[in-house]
Amino acid sequence: PMFLDPCYMELFSKLTVILAYLPEDRKETIINWLSKLGSADSLKTIVQIFQQYITINSLNMENIKELHCSIEALDLVSQANDIGRIISHTEFYNDAVNNPEMDLKIHYKVWLDIHHLRAQGELINSARLIDENLFSFCNYSWIMDPSTKSYILDIDSAFSMNQSVRETMVSHAFFNPFSVNDLSPYLVLRIHREKIVEDTLNQLILDPKVLKKPLKVEFVGEQGIDEGGVKKEFFQLIVKELFDPKYGMFDFFEDIRVFYFNGHSFESKLKFELIGCILGLAIYNRVILDVHFPMVVYRKLAGFPVDLEDLKGVNPDMYRSFEKLLTYTGDVENDFCFTFQVVREVFGEIKTYELKPNGDQIPVTADNREEFVKLYTEWYLNDVCDEVFQAFHKGFHNVAGGKAFQLFKPEELEQLVCGERELDFHELEKATEYEDGYTKDSDIVKYFWEIVYEYSEEQKRALLAFATGSDRSPIGGLRNLEFFILRHGEDSDRLPTAHTCFNYLLIPEYSSKEKLKERLTLAINNSQGFGLL
């Protein structure tokens, strides 16, 4: 705590330099020790000390070496927290670094230069980066919040798209005639509504570079230019279709309302690849999806290993059983009667799986129960569904395989796909636009916002889902949501309606606040799935 006192800043600076220049094996020792610290309060205090120092140096950017050493030292704490999961990853975000005035294009360029040097086989360790003043916040992505990373993702996306067009021009210049789609700045999908999965699958098995172009969707036989609404409706419909139980591609866990991969699905691997591709396209095109994956899916996409904590988000009952097994003080072997073999019924057929060679002959005991839980968890989350997950992984990384995605932690990947959980409706009120006769001063508009603030958190989420198709906000919060309230005629008994593909909420000019609340609440409660399209 004494390092929080500005009088000790010089001493702290010297300490960060020592930590930054430690040999890699010594750094690993510190990381392992910190990962077992266990105390969230202690780790938060350590992070707070570093953040104070980093903020001061980030504001003037005069002594890059001191700033670089302090962030390099804090990186040890971040890596330890990734292992131990002691505090929230958000504790490592720094407001000064995430200030919109920070010129991140320079940091992105330096980061690419570092990648280029490493690709050429040069040894680029932290000491060399510090000595040669090769500093980029992108090298320490844990310090950046999702909004900042999304900005870098936009830079990376534009770079990838321009590179794709240039390469297409070169490859076709002397060998093949140009097609409209080759040089088009857009990826255009032409979809029959009744064949949405088949049409999408046939058109998305393309060169991954083409998939990084901005998406436009045309529904065959329908007029209209895709200015965002058609694209959003397409994503809503394709996700709803692919997660339909008729395909049997996912197991649904009702108690926690999440989907996980069904390794015994009869559907082709291409459909799993398609789902991964859809998630990647949604990220690139800034469309929030109403998908309900457990966090382990995003951890696996980001390359993290699975552990028992991941099982909790998929099968809580199994997690609790293993917790009981691990803490049991009685006779584990005879009371549980487990072996290193799994017996499962699959479509009426009994199948066995060996967690290790001759597993059926190896009883689970107090001495080997941790190994049993580890192997069982890996089997359940990885091995059973490995083929279909690898197809999903391929589809996702065909679109989202750029360097910028290396910046995102699993929790932030989920936010990119599904939006943020925290909702600030005051921000939404400031961002809302009014059309067809309503203004912010209209009585019905004032009544509407009074009702919103009276709603419970659950009702607010239901309202947002009714009006936009998702109960979450975009990256950066509800202030970044384009939301419209439109007058839908004079007073009547009609319910409010919504066009979720455009974020339009249509409200008749009811005669009283009480009537508005009754009609609006009824409309929300009666809506299902994706609302009224």
Side-chain angles (χ1 to χ4, degrees), residues 206-239:
L206 303 168
D207 182 345
K209 294 174 184 175
V210 178
L211 298 176
K212 294 180 181 180
K213 295 181 179 181
L215 176 67
K216 285 188 177 292
V217 177
E218 297 175 6
F219 284 111
V220 176
E222 301 180 20
Q223 294 182 349
I225 299 174
D226 187 2
E227 296 180 349
V230 179
K231 175 175 61 182
K232 182 178 177 183
E233 182 184 7
F234 161 76
F235 277 110
Q236 292 174 341
L237 294 175
I238 189 72
V239 166

Side-chain angles (χ1 to χ4, degrees), residues 286-297:
R286 291 292 187 268
V287 176
I288 295 175
L289 299 183
D290 185 23
V291 297
H292 300 272
F293 281 135
M295 185 54 64
V296 65
V297 172

Side-chain angles (χ1 to χ4, degrees), residues 394-461:
K394 176 184 176 183
F396 180 82
H397 284 281
N398 276 347
V399 185
K403 290 184 177 64
F405 279 93
Q406 299 172 18
L407 303 174
F408 290 86
K409 288 186 175 292
E411 297 84 355
E412 295 165 341
L413 275 181
E414 184 197 29
Q415 289 181 15
L416 277 180
V417 174
C418 306
E420 296 183 359
R421 294 179 183 274
E422 293 187 10
L423 303 177
D424 185 344
F425 277 82
H426 291 284
E427 293 289 346
L428 180 61
E429 183 179 3
K430 293 176 184 176
T432 299
E433 297 182 33
Y434 306 94
E435 296 182 0
D436 293 350
Y438 282 154
T439 71
K440 66 182 180 62
D441 297 317
S442 300
D443 287 341
I444 203 72
V445 170
K446 293 179 180 178
Y447 296 154
F448 173 80
W449 290 112
E450 288 174 7
I451 292 166
V452 169
Y453 297 128
E454 292 169 3
Y455 273 166
S456 66
E457 187 67 23
E458 183 179 353
Q459 287 175 308
K460 288 177 182 176
R461 289 192 179 279

